[in-house]
Each structure stands twice: as C-alpha cells, then as structure tokens.
Amino acid sequence: MTTTGPGGDAQVMPCDAEGLRRQLVAALGPVAGEDAPLEARMIVEAATGLDRTALRLHGAVAVQTAQLAAAQTMLARRLAREPLSQILGSRGFWTLDIDVTADVLTPRPDTETLIEAMLDFVDADGRGRGYPWRVLDLGTGSGCLPAALLSELPEARAIAIDRSPAAARVARRNLDRIAPGRALVVVSDWASCLAATGCEAGAFDLILSNPPYIPSGEIRTLDPEVARHEPHLALDGGDDGLVAYRVLAPGIARLLRPDGFASIEIGLGQALDVERLLADQGLTTSVRNDLGHIARCVTARHAVSLAA
Ligand SMILES: C[S@@+](CC[C@H](N)C(=O)[O-])C[C@H]1O[C@@H](n2cnc3c(N)ncnc32)[C@H](O)[C@@H]1O
C-alpha cells in the first residue's frame, strides 16, 4: 500500500522488491492504466538494479533507503504525467535501446512499421542486406529510424536531418553508439537541406521520414504525457496535419534513386492525402498497416523503376 504524503503525493513504504513493485502498480494505475504493471516493473528495475529474472528470483530482498528514494522520485515524476521514457532516459525500439530526452519524440512501436516495410523491400531486392545502401532520414529526432535500419544493413550509411539542435545531439549519441562512423547528423530545416549540395537528385537509395502530423488544434487534446512533455516541433503538422508532407513529397521524389524506396509515417486517416501528394510527384505508392491494423506507413517508389 502506498500512503499519501503531506503534498497529496503517493509515498512508497519500506518493503522488499516485490512489495515495492506491488505498491507501484497500485499507485500508477490512474496514470498508466493497463501499462501500470509494466511501468512498475521498469521503475523497480531502475531503482534497485535488479533485472526481470533477478526480481522473480529475489523478490524478497529488502529495498535500501536510497533505492526507495529513487523509486519515490520516479513515481512522483510519473504521477506528474512525465513519460516513463523521459524518466528512465531510454526506450526500446526495434531490437535497440534508444536514449530519450525531453528534446525528442519517444520512439513508438507503430514507427517500426517503416523499418519492416524497408527491410521487406531490401530482402526482395537483388542488392540484399550487404549492399552499401545510402539512407536519408528526414526529421530524425532520437535517430531511432536510421539506428534500426543501420543495425540491419551492415554496409549502409545514413544522413539524418533535424531542425532541432537538441534533438540532433540525442540522435548523434544514439547513432555513434549503435552504428559508429556510419551516420552523419545534420541540423537543418529539411526544406533547405533537400535543395543543398550533397543532396543532388537521386542521391539516396532509401528514404525514411516520420514527420510531425498532428493537426495543430488537436495537440492540446492529447494525453498530458504527449501534449505537455514532448516537443511540439515533433508533433505539430499545421492546420490540417499535412504541412510537412507538402514540403517533403517533391524533395523525396527528387532525392530518391530511380530504383530506390521511401517509407513515410502517416497519422490516422492521412493515407489518401499523402499518397496523392506523392503521386503528384510521379511516385507510385502503397500503404502498410501497423500492428493495430491502422494505416501507418506510405511507401513510395519511382513509377519508372516498377515498369523496368
Ligand atoms: C514525429 S518526430 C519523429 C522523430 C523520429 N524520427 C521518430 O520516428 O521517433 C518529427 C521530427 O521532425 C523534426 N522536424 C520538424 N520540422 C522539421 C523541419 N522543418 N526540418 C527538419 N526537421 C524537422 C522534429 O524536430 C522531430 O524531431
């Protein structure tokens, strides 16, 4: 049982590791819902240093005062609706642990759909996973997309672009750890970068992008974890949510090699509009659903490469 402190916040009581986990599940219920058991376990692991297996085997081990204080601090932050990824400083994406701060969007499982689509293309293509693929990621945030792709394509190299210098620092840290020497992170608005030297026509085999796509007016209706704690530059897609796609579509068409492949994330109900924007640039598109059966990714190729 947690008790309530003088400020009305939940206080964890001294106990063993399993007792701490149970207290946290109860306290986190109102903010984390069905994820409360998972979040509680992750906080116990971070506070005690015990991993999942050790927790199962040694759940009766007493929690030290400093460990209890650490768990208490994490609980208070979480009850203030800070995302657990920002509290712990990382989030799993694909097969990787990605560093996360308040300067970047927390990588979402739905975004893995872009990597699945990209790898299906690579595996069906004669060049295979060992080819020196040239990859571009537009709006890289934490760098999770190029990190995941480079972890699967050992000879690939990537350029990752973000307008936020703070996000670019996080991306650099992740990419230096996961794919050392194979990724360049550039701080730039994609509009100017898409036209810059080094970004000549057909420069990239594989183009990824998960741009901001939430209509501006909807941001304040999102969960506080997102609306208050994630960077608005990563969320705000303008009045209709499609502003970024209008800029990106001609840039992607220009930079994609004739036999290349692009994988672009979309928000709910945006598939037709984004496909139309890409088709207007002479690209052939298809749509891929995420695990929740929601259209999540538009893929694009030059029509000419399909005809060849
Ligand atoms: C939805 S987040 C995606 C982050 C990451 N790729 C992911 O999938 O988790 C969009 C990213 O685009 C960046 N961004 C927004 N507008 C931009 C612009 N005009 N030029 C470059 N990057 C931009 C934001 O800073 C943010 O990091």
Side-chain angles (χ1 to χ4, degrees), residues 216-306:
S216 309
E218 286 179 21
I219 293 179
R220 62 189 158 73
T221 69
L222 301 175
D223 288 341
E225 284 82 351
V226 182
R228 276 199 240 135
H229 292 281
E230 297 213 270
H232 280 210
L233 185 60
L235 304 173
D236 194 344
D239 282 349
D240 63 355
L242 299 170
V243 166
Y245 300 102
R246 292 192 186 94
V247 178
L248 292 172
I252 289 171
R254 194 178 73 80
L255 294 179
L256 192 63
R257 256 177 74 134
D259 55 358
F261 188 83
S263 224
I264 301 146
E265 181 158 329
I266 52 167
L268 203 60
Q270 292 177 332
L272 279 180
D273 287 322
V274 174
E275 284 194 283
R276 196 169 305 122
L277 287 169
L278 293 161
D280 286 349
Q281 302 299 324
L283 295 168
T284 299
T285 60
S286 67
V287 174
R288 190 172 177 121
N289 291 350
D290 62 22
L291 289 176
H293 309 291
I294 291 173
R296 181 61 60 195
C297 168
V298 172
T299 66
R301 308 179 64 174
H302 285 290
V304 60
S305 74
L306 292 175

Side-chain angles (χ1 to χ4, degrees), residues 50-303:
L50 295 171
D51 66 15
R52 192 180 189 159
T53 316
L55 258 179
R56 240 194 330 255
L57 292 175
H58 310 296
V61 69
V63 178
Q64 316 281 314
T65 311
Q67 296 173 333
L68 204 63
Q72 177 68 64
T73 303
M74 288 188 253
L75 173 62
R77 287 174 67 182
R78 188 65 191 93
L79 293 179
R81 307 302 296 258
E82 203 174 331
L84 188 63
S85 54
Q86 292 182 13
I87 297 168
L88 299 179
S90 81
R91 170 56 52 95
F93 182 78
W94 199 245
T95 60
L96 308 166
D97 281 331
I98 299 291
D99 287 358
V100 170
T101 71
D103 297 313
V104 299
L105 190 86
T106 294
R108 310 292 208 261
D110 296 341
T111 301
E112 295 179 3
T113 312
L114 274 67
I115 301 297
E116 289 166 5
M118 207 53 116
L119 290 176
D120 280 355
F121 165 77
V122 165
D123 290 339
D125 184 272
R127 289 166 284 183
R129 293 200 183 198
Y131 181 79
W133 298 98
R134 289 166 303 168
V135 178
L136 176 66
D137 181 30
L138 296 160
T140 202
S142 64
C144 61
L145 282 169
L149 200 58
L150 294 192
S151 76
E152 300 287 345
L153 307 177
E155 300 302 325
R157 288 194 155 33
I159 294 182
I161 291 170
D162 206 289
R163 199 169 100 184
S164 155
R169 277 194 290 278
V170 178
R172 236 171 245 135
R173 202 162 66 228
N174 280 313
L175 287 160
D176 284 351
R177 173 170 53 82
I178 292 161
R182 293 200 287 138
L184 180 68
V185 179
V186 179
V187 178
S188 170
D189 189 297
W190 50 48
S192 48
C193 201
L194 290 171
T197 333
C199 276
E200 68 276 3
F204 296 96
D205 304 295
L206 307 175
I207 300 182
L208 294 156
S209 186
N210 174 15
Y213 54 66
I214 312 285
S216 309
E218 286 179 21
I219 293 179
R220 62 189 158 73
T221 69
L222 301 175
D223 288 341
E225 284 82 351
V226 182
R228 276 199 240 135
H229 292 281
E230 297 213 270
H232 280 210
L233 185 60
L235 304 173
D236 194 344
D239 282 349
D240 63 355
L242 299 170
V243 166
Y245 300 102
R246 292 192 186 94
V247 178
L248 292 172
I252 289 171
R254 194 178 73 80
L255 294 179
L256 192 63
R257 256 177 74 134
D259 55 358
F261 188 83
S263 224
I264 301 146
E265 181 158 329
I266 52 167
L268 203 60
Q270 292 177 332
L272 279 180
D273 287 322
V274 174
E275 284 194 283
R276 196 169 305 122
L277 287 169
L278 293 161
D280 286 349
Q281 302 299 324
L283 295 168
T284 299
T285 60
S286 67
V287 174
R288 190 172 177 121
N289 291 350
D290 62 22
L291 289 176
H293 309 291
I294 291 173
R296 181 61 60 195
C297 168
V298 172
T299 66
R301 308 179 64 174
H302 285 290

